[in-house]
Each structure stands twice: as C-alpha cells, then as structure tokens.
Amino acid sequence: MSSDVYRRIQRHPKFQELVQRRSSFSWLLSFLVLGLFYGFILLVAFNPGLMAMRLGGENSVITFGPVAILSMFVLFWALTAVYVRRANGEFDDLTRELIEDATQGGRK
C-alpha cells in the first residue's frame, strides 16, 4: 500500500474507533490481570492463614492456596482466549472495513 493509503487510513473515523476500542479493551484486561495478581500477592503477604486453610474439612489435604493459584491460571488463560476471540472477530472486521474504505477512496 502506498503512503497515501496509510494517511487516509489514519485519518479515517473507523481507524480512530478501532484504536480506541482495542486500547480500552486492552487496558481493561491489563488492570483486571494485574489487580488479581497483585491482590493475590497481598493476600499471601498479609493473610497467610487463609492460604493454609483446609478445604473440605480438617482431614483434607487440599488448601485454599493451590486452588486459588490454579483458578487464577485458568482465569488468565480464559481472558487470553476472550482477547484472541475479540481480536480475530470484531477488531479484524473493523480493520478489513477500514482497509476497504481507504483503498476504494483512492480509486474514486
């Protein structure tokens, strides 16, 4: 693509919408992941008794700590899947529309 097409793309309202949507979604996921991660670190630091709490009774070998860690791991994978699905769906569709509009605009 020529630099003229790139300029048209950058000035196009759909480009601004795409950048804003991707940016806000990325920041939301970043804050969520960092909040959970640092919240967990603070929980470990300031309430270690909760991490050692046995689940399922006094004779249980399962404690809250490993369950919380595994839950966070699964949640982070799920959030990655949500981002990839949205990026490959909504964001790619917007990008495709934007490129079509910008390249057709040069042929008129």
Side-chain angles (χ1 to χ4, degrees):
M1 284 190 263
S2 69
S3 60
D4 189 40
V5 172
Y6 286 123
R7 272 187 248 118
R8 277 198 306 274
I9 288 173
Q10 288 177 335
R11 283 182 271 158
H12 199 285
K14 284 184 182 178
F15 179 75
Q16 303 305 322
E17 178 187 358
L18 176 64
V19 168
Q20 191 276 329
R21 283 172 131 182
R22 276 186 16 194
S23 178
S24 63
F25 189 60
S26 296
W27 280 110
L28 172 69
L29 290 180
S30 296
F31 285 132
L32 183 62
V33 167
L34 290 174
L36 287 171
F37 180 76
Y38 286 117
F40 179 74
I41 298 299
L42 290 172
L43 183 66
V44 169
F46 294 111
N47 196 355
L50 178 64
M51 301 306 288
M53 182 180 72
R54 294 184 185 275
L55 301 177
E58 196 62 35
N59 295 329
S60 175
V61 294
I62 300 172
T63 59
F64 178 76
V67 171
I69 292 169
L70 288 173
S71 299
M72 285 177 46
F73 183 75
V74 170
L75 178 66
F76 294 157
W77 274 95
L79 289 175
T80 301
V82 166
Y83 180 81
V84 168
R85 181 181 172 115
R86 190 164 178 193
N88 289 340
E90 175 186 346
F91 298 151
D92 276 358
D93 292 343
L94 267 172
T95 302
R96 219 173 288 111
E97 290 173 15
L98 176 61
I99 291 172
E100 286 174 8
D101 287 354
T103 53
Q104 288 173 359
R107 293 183 196 140
K108 293 179 183 176

